[in-house]
Amino acid sequence: MHYGLHIPNFGPYGDAHVLAELAHEAEEAGWNGFFLWDQVAKTTLTPSIDPMVDPWIALAAIALRTNSIRLGTLITPLPRRRPWNVARETVSLDHLSGGRLVFGAGLGGGYYDFAALGEASDLKTLAGMLDEGLQIVNGLWSGKPFHFEGTYYRILEAQFLPRPVQMPRIPIWMAATWPLKSPFRRAVRWDGVFPQGRDLPLTSMLSLQEVEALLRFLKEQPAYTPSIEIVHGGISTGQDASRDADLAASYARVGVTWWIEKIVPERWGSWTHWPLEAMHQRIHLGPPRLVFHG
């Protein structure tokens, strides 16, 4: 089991310097990953317009402040990005970090990031754009001459160098909502799945039984490989060492490979529960295995 933090890119965390320092502290405390939200506009979680930092700029700062920790977005709504720009940015960041980048991708569709900015918001359209965008990003990462004809994108000719440091590609972790099946059929073709519950708040977790069910479904798919990462988490630990370690271990036993602690505003409306001081304290305690054994 690997352990990561899932940090917003807004509010008190809407500053690249702050996020880079937190990532450095996380690496020192034994965390394995530091992942950012990818919002571009007002979030629905807070009642006001919060300060916000571009996650890719922040990740560049994080890459320069750390040495071994995994980093990336969870998740980037690929349909609101030009896939060829994403291909360039991700390879640049993979080289800058020495091959530590993870690319988390999903549909998106939130009002402030899509409809309010004049972007397409129909889920069928977004799904088609996501599938084509992933093909383009992966094709451009190959470093070979590339041509693409799709419904939403067209590339007459392109060849992007350098290739990523990581081979055969930068890991792609797909967001997927359980019990919907189509997102998991998509995810199994890539390198990891970041499952959420359809009716659960972001601070809640899928049950052990739900994780077992989605894993059974993944294993039934022709493209399934045992190397796919199962990336899950929800509640923040750090209050009860024994309970925390037992909880993380129970998810590891059913197949979760990455335990991700999601840091969100308390009651969806304030930062009183996660001011920076509280975040520093939680990071320094370390992940559940170190809280228990350290």
Side-chain angles (χ1 to χ4, degrees), residues 52 59 123 132 203:
M52 191 172 290
L59 286 169
L123 291 180
E132 289 189 12
T203 48

Side-chain angles (χ1 to χ4, degrees), residues 40-42 80 108-122 126:
V40 299
K42 182 178 182 292
R80 65 160 160 75
Y111 172 75
Y112 290 108
D113 267 8
F114 282 82
L117 299 176
E119 296 281 358
S121 56
D122 173 72
L126 295 180

Side-chain angles (χ1 to χ4, degrees), residues 46 62 80 108 119 131 165 226:
T46 56
I62 289 167
R80 65 160 160 75
E119 296 281 358
D131 286 330
V165 173

Side-chain angles (χ1 to χ4, degrees), residues 22-170:
L22 289 173
H24 171 72
E25 293 174 10
E27 184 173 83
E28 292 293 305
W31 295 88
N32 307 114
F34 194 89
F35 304 102
L36 301 182
W37 297 29
D38 187 347
Q39 299 273 153
V40 299
K42 182 178 182 292
T43 171
T44 58
L45 301 189
T46 56
S48 61
I49 299 175
D50 285 314
M52 191 172 290
V53 66
D54 180 85
W56 297 95
I57 299 296
L59 286 169
I62 289 167
L64 294 173
R65 190 71 178 91
T66 57
N67 297 297
S68 61
I69 199 168
R70 280 278 186 180
L71 52 97
T73 54
L74 287 178
I75 53 86
T76 287
L78 189 55
R80 65 160 160 75
R81 304 285 304 280
R82 296 287 188 181
W84 37 88
N85 289 343
V86 172
R88 280 292 190 201
E89 291 161 353
T90 48
V91 169
S92 297
L93 190 51
D94 196 48
H95 279 262
L96 185 64
S97 66
R100 293 184 283 131
L101 181 67
V102 171
F103 179 50
L107 263 67
Y111 172 75
Y112 290 108
D113 267 8
F114 282 82
L117 299 176
E119 296 281 358
S121 56
D122 173 72
L123 291 180
K124 184 177 180 180
T125 298
L126 295 180
M129 294 176 72
L130 174 60
D131 286 330
E132 289 189 12
L134 289 168
Q135 293 179 63
I136 291 169
V137 169
N138 192 47
L140 293 173
W141 282 347
S142 73
K144 300 176 182 178
F146 183 72
H147 168 80
F148 186 84
E149 293 282 349
T151 301
Y152 304 99
Y153 302 109
R154 184 185 185 201
I155 296 178
L156 298 179
E157 57 177 314
Q159 184 175 9
F160 282 14
L161 293 173
R163 295 187 64 186
V165 173
Q166 299 179 84
M167 294 295 172
R169 62 169 171 251
I170 297 166

